[in-house]
Amino acid sequence: MKVSQNWLKQYINFKFTPEQFTEKLSMLGLEVESSEDLSKKYDKFVVGEVLERAKHPNADRLSVCKVNIGGTVQEVVCGAPNVAAGQKVAVALVGAVIPHNQHGDEGKSFILEHAKIRGVESHGMMCSEQELGLGKDASGILVLDAAAKAGTPLAKYLGQTDTIYEIGITPNRSDCLSHIGVAREIGVLVNKKMKHPKVILKESRTPASKFAKIEILDKEKCPRYSARVLRNIKIGPSPKWLQDILSSVGVRPINNVVDVTNYVLMETGHPLHAFDYDKLAEHKIVIKAARDGEKFVTLDGKERTLTSETLMICDAERPIAVAGVMGGANTEISDTTTNILIESAYFHPQNIRRTSKYLGLSTEASYRFERGADMNITVTAANRAAQLIQELAGGDLLKGVLDAYPKKRKPIVVKARVSRINSIIGTSLSKMQIISLLKKIDLVVKSSSRDELLVTVPSFRNDILEEIDVIEEVARVYGYNNIETKTHAAIDFSSNVRTDALQDEVREFLIGSGFNEILAIGLQDEATMSLAGKPLVKALNPVSAEMAALRTSLVTSALGIVKHNRNHGTKDLRLFELGNIHLRIDGKASNSLEAYQEEERLLLVISGNHAPVSYGNASRVVDVLDMKGEVSALLSKFCLDNYRFIYYDTHEALSEPCIGIEINGTYAGFFGKIRKQIADKLDIDEAVFVCEMNIRALRDGWVRDRKFSPLPKFPGVTRDLAFTVDATLPQNKVEDVIRQVGRPLCTNVVLFDTYSGQQTGKDKKSVAYALEFQSPDHTLAEEEIDHALAKIIEAVQRQCNGVLRS
Amino acid sequence: MLEKVVHTKQAFTEELQKAATLQDLEQTRIKYLARSGEIAALFEGMKSAAPAEKPALGKTLNELRQYAQAQFDEKKLLLEQSAKPKEVPFDLTLPGRSKPIGTKHPVTQVMEEIKRIFRSMGFSVENGPEIESDYYNFEALNFAPDHPARDMQDTIFIADKILLRTHTSPVQIRVMEKQKPPVRAIMPGWAYRNEAVSARSLVAFHQIEGLYVDEGVTFSELKGTLVAFAKQFYGSSIKYRFRPSFFPFTEPSAEMDITCYLCNGKGCRICKHSGWLEVLGSGMVHPHVFQAVGYDAEKYTGYAFGMGIERTALLRYGIDDIRILYENDVRFLKQF
C-alpha cells in the first residue's frame, strides 16, 4: 500500500527522514518496502527570471536570453514565441531529466546536456508545461507566478515536496490499510495520539429517512449498512490537490464524488460506494443474496454470473452492486447525476473473500472487507465523505444518517496474564509497564486480579481475539530488539538417530568417485515421464505442461539434464542425484494420503568418455562395465558382499540391457543402458548408462558395524588358470565353480582376460583367472595347491565343459 | 714434523684442484692416500718423534687423512658426474594424469552447513512427505478456511485436499504428533508453490524448518538461538534485527534481517537499497498448533523458524538467476 508523508502529517506530527521512517515502521511490523522522494523529479530545475531577450544571431525563430537563476546569470537559448523579459520561468539546468520530449522520440524523458544551438552556447532550457510533465500545453514556455523567487527549487515552487512510501501490510493488520491506520502506528513511535479530521456537516432540514429506505435481508453477511443522501450536487473534476494526492498513492482521479469516496477509503480504510440516487427503483436499498445464475454488469462493463452465495445490494427491483466488491453499471455516477446515496457498510469478511475469489475480481474495497473492516466507523466515514462532497460538489445534505444496524457489536474483551506474557516473551515486565505499552495502541486495560488483565480491544483491531494476540502486541510495542537475546539456551541433546547419515556418506563417496551432484525439480512433463511406464501422480492445476506431474523415476528428469549438457558442449558426464519420486498406489482413493508413496532414490548417470581427455589417458567411451564397476564399488563399500546382480530377468521400461540389484535378497534397483528408442525420442545420440537404487534398501543393507578380521600370518600364492569354454557361456558360471570348489584354500578369484579368435574357434572363448591361495594356519605346500587346482580343473571341465589351456 | 704436515696438506689441496679427469685424480690418490703414499709416510715418520709429542702429532695426522679422503671423495663424485653422457631430462611440466572431479550441488552444500550448525546445537533432523493433506499443510497450522494468509501461498493440488506442501512447516505437526516434548528438530526438504518461474522464483524450492518445544522456551531464547546460527553461518561480525511479522502458526512472529553482506549495510541492488537482507521467518508456536497436536499449551512453549535455501545459495555464491540452480549444467556444477 502506498502512503503519502504529507497526508500522514494531517493526523500526526512527526519528523523522520525517509531512512528513519523505513527503519522505525519496519521495526513495528509495518514493512516499508520502498520510498520515493517526489521532489527528486525536479532535481536541477529552478525558478529563473528572464532579464533580457535578444534575437539569436543565426536563427530567426530563436532568442538568446539572460536568465537569473538565483545568484548567477546564464545565457539560455529559447525557441518559445512567448518568452519575454521580466518573466518568471522554469529553467532546467544541465543534467536535469526533462520528463517529456515535445520535439520527438515519442515524448520520452531525456537528460539535458550542454548544447551549442546554432553557434550559441545554452546553459539550460526554459520548459513548457508539457516538457515538465505538468500538462498538455506545448505552445510556449510555462510562465510562473510573478512573485516566485529566482533560484527557488522548482519542486518547492510546485509544492512537490512529498515522499511516498510503499508499505507491505501483513494480512492480520487490516487496520493499517489507511493513512489514519498508519498514523496511529506512528503515534506509538512518537508517543502521541493521532488526531482525527474534524467533520462539520451542514445538513438541510429535510430528513434523509423520507427519501430512502434500507432493508437488510441477510444480517449474517451484512451486519450494518449506513448511508447518506445528498441532493442537487454538481458532478465535475476534482480540484488539483485532490487529484494530485490520489495520483500520488496510485488512485486514478475520476470525478469529484468518486474521488471523495476513494479519498475517504485511503484516509480511513473504510470502503464507500456512491449510487446515482435517481436510478434506484423506489429509492430503496435491499441487501440480499443473488439468485443462482443471475447475470449482473459491474462498473467495469463486464457481465458476471452470480451464485446464491453472492451478497448483492439491490433496489426495489434489481441488483445494483456486488456487496463489498464492485458497484453496478446501472446506478453508476455520471456527469448528469445530481442526487446521490453514499453507502458505508460492513460486510462479513469470509463472504467477500469467497465472492472476490469466485468472480476473480479483487478491488480496493474487497481487499479491505475480506481482511476485516471496522464496523464502528461506517457513520464516521459516510459523514466524512458527505462533508467533502458538499465542499467540492455543493448540494444539500439530507438530515440524518440512514443506519441499519440490527445487532450492535459488543466490544471484545480479552483476558491476559502478566506471568504468561513474560513467560512467552522472556521478559520480566511489571503489570504497570504492560498496561502502559498497551495503552499506546488504544488497548484499554482493567486489572481484575494480581496477575490477570482485562483488555478491551478497539473495534479497528479485529486481529486481537485471545491472550496470545495481546502477548504479541506487548512484544511488538515493547520492541523486538529490546527483548534480551538469551545466549544460554537450555540445550537438551538430541538422542534421535541420524536419518540422513547414509545420504551424506553416499554423497561423499560419489564425489570421491568423480560424480557431479545434480538436483532436479520433482515435477515434469507427462510425455517424458510416461517413458518410465509407471502410473503418474498428476497436478490438478499444473503450473505448466512441463511441470504437470511428479517424477516416478529420477531417470526421466536426468535425461533432460544429459540433453541440456550435451547441447552445451559437455558430453562426458558423471552425474548423481539423491531425490524423491512419487508413486500412485492402486486401489486407494485419490483424496487419501495412502494413495501416494514417496520413495527416496539414488541415481547414477555416466555417458561419453570415461575420463577427461588428458595426457597419458587414452580416450575411451564408457560402456555398461564402467557403470557396473561404479555400482559394485558403491555396494561393496556400504553393503560388503550382501548384494548380487540379476543379469537376464530384470525388466525396466527405460533400460536395455537391464541388470537388477538385490541387497540381502530384496530388489533394490537396476542399472543398464537407456533404450535406443527413448534416447532417440529425446535426441540423445550417445549411449547413456544409468543406475537407479532405492535408498531405503541401501540403508537396510548398510553394514555400519565393522568387525576386524586378523591379517593372514602366512604368505599367499597366486596361480593363473585359463579355460576354453562355449562362447555363449557367461563367465560367472566358471567363476562361481572355481569359488565353490576352491574353498577354503582359494581365497580370491579375478578374471583378467577373455579371448575369442583363431586359437579358440568362433564358437569358443578363453577365460583366464588369477587365483589366490592362502591358509590361516600354515604356509601352503606345493602339493596342497596342486591338489586344489586339480579339483578346480576337473570341476570346470565337468560343470562348464571347460578345457584347460596350457 | 708439523711443517711437513702443513706442506703436504697444501700440496695435496693444490693437486686435487688441478685434477681435471678421473685419471689425474687417481694419480693424486696414489701419491697421497695409497698405502705407500705421502700421508702413510708421515705416519711412518711419527715413530721417530719424541714420545711427548706423539699424541698431538697423531691427532694432527688423523685429521689430515680424514680431510684428504673427504676432499678426494667429493672431487671424485664431481668428476664422475661430469664424465657421464648427457640424458634428456624428464619434462616435469607435463600435466598430471587427471581423473574426473566430483562436486556437491551448491544447494546441498548450503543445506549441509545449516544442518551441521543446528546439529551442533542439539537439533535432530526429521523428514516428512512432499505430498501432504490440507490438514497438515494448513489446518493444523492454524490457517483458518478462507483466511487471507492463503493468498500468500498458491498451491499445487493433486486431489481434493491433497496437495504438494507449500512449506516444510507440516513436518512440525508430524514430528509433534509422533513425539512428546521436548522436541528439538530441523526439517529440511522441498516445497512447491504455484508460481510463475522467473529469475527470482521457482515452482519448487528447499526450506529448512526448525522447532523447539519444551517447558520455559521463550522468544528471548528464539532470538539467542537464531543469532548464534546467523553468526556461525554469515559471520560473527554481522548485525541483525528482528521485525514483527505475521504467520498463522506462530505468535508473536518475527522476520530476521541481517546487514547486507554485499554492501555492508550501505544499500545495494541485492538488498533493495535497504541495507538489510531478510534471512528467515520465525515466531513462538501458536497455542492453536499445540492444541492440534495435543500438547498442553499452558505447560509447554516453543519456537519455530523457517528459511529458504535457494535464496541463501544465490547470495552466498553471487548467482543472479535462480533458474541456473536446477539446469544442472556441469560447467556450473564444477564451480562449487
Side-chain angles (χ1 to χ4, degrees), chain A residues 22-23 26-31 33 170-172 350 353-354 367 370-371 417 420 422-426 463 466-472 475-476 480-494 496-500 504 507-508 510-523 537-543 547 550 561 564-565 568 570 572-576 580 582 590-593 596 598 610-617, chain B residues 94-105 107-108 112 115 119-133 136 145-152 155-160 162 164 174 179 182 184 190 192-197 202-204 206 212 214 216-221 223-225 227 240-246 251-254 272 276 278 284 286-288 297-298 300-301 325-331 333-334:
Chain A
T22 302
E23 166 78 12
S26 297
M27 291 311 294
L28 207 55
L30 273 64
E31 192 188 359
E33 289 161 353
T170 51
N172 56 329
Q350 254 186 43
R353 182 169 170 74
R354 281 191 195 141
Y367 189 80
E370 70 185 33
R371 280 164 172 72
R417 290 160 295 171
R420 180 77 174 165
N422 284 318
S423 74
I424 293 274
I425 308 176
D463 60 321
E466 52 191 314
E467 188 180 35
I468 192 71
D469 305 322
V470 174
I471 296 173
E472 177 176 54
R476 194 172 71 85
Y480 280 12
N481 279 358
N482 296 327
I483 298 169
E484 189 196 353
T485 300
K486 198 172 151 197
T487 46
H488 303 286
I491 290 195
D492 59 84
F493 298 106
S494 167
N496 293 12
V497 179
R498 272 186 63 177
T499 49
D500 53 352
D504 286 356
R507 234 181 236 121
E508 297 298 338
L510 289 171
I511 284 159
S513 308
F515 283 86
N516 297 113
E517 187 186 21
I518 58 172
L519 277 178
I521 288 176
L523 291 161
V537 179
K538 295 180 198 170
L540 287 179
N541 55 336
V543 181
M547 291 188 272
L550 288 158
I561 291 164
H564 170 93
N565 278 293
H568 290 81
T570 316
D572 306 335
L573 298 168
R574 297 166 70 78
L575 309 173
F576 80 97
N580 292 333
H582 292 88
S590 69
N591 61 358
S592 138
L593 282 180
Y596 310 97
E598 183 173 299
H610 83 292
V613 174
S614 69
Y615 178 77
N617 275 354
Chain B
L94 286 172
R97 292 197 178 82
S98 63
K99 53 179 188 169
I101 294 156
T103 50
K104 250 182 236 176
H105 196 281
V107 168
T108 303
E112 281 187 350
K115 285 201 269 187
R119 262 200 203 104
S120 75
M121 299 181 187
F123 285 77
S124 65
V125 179
E126 303 287 344
N127 291 299
E130 292 172 20
I131 297 179
E132 264 297 4
S133 65
Y136 284 103
D146 287 328
H147 195 284
R150 287 193 183 182
D151 265 3
M152 290 177 173
T155 308
I156 299 174
F157 282 91
I158 296 296
D160 180 37
I162 301 289
L164 293 179
R174 290 183 175 275
Q179 197 183 327
R184 198 179 178 96
W190 284 95
Y192 300 80
R193 303 248 170 111
N194 199 349
E195 266 174 25
V197 176
L202 286 170
V203 171
H206 288 86
Y212 179 36
D214 203 347
V217 179
T218 65
F219 189 89
S220 175
E221 191 170 325
K223 281 181 71 178
T225 308
V227 167
Y240 59 86
R241 68 178 190 187
F242 287 82
R243 232 172 350 97
S245 188
F246 173 75
E251 189 165 9
S253 302
K272 292 191 204 141
W276 294 101
E278 198 176 299
M284 300 302 291
H286 200 288
H288 294 179
E298 281 295 308
Y300 299 109
T301 52
L325 289 177
Y326 298 121
E327 267 176 12
N328 292 295
D329 191 310
V330 170
R331 295 168 301 173
L333 299 174
K334 281 188 172 167

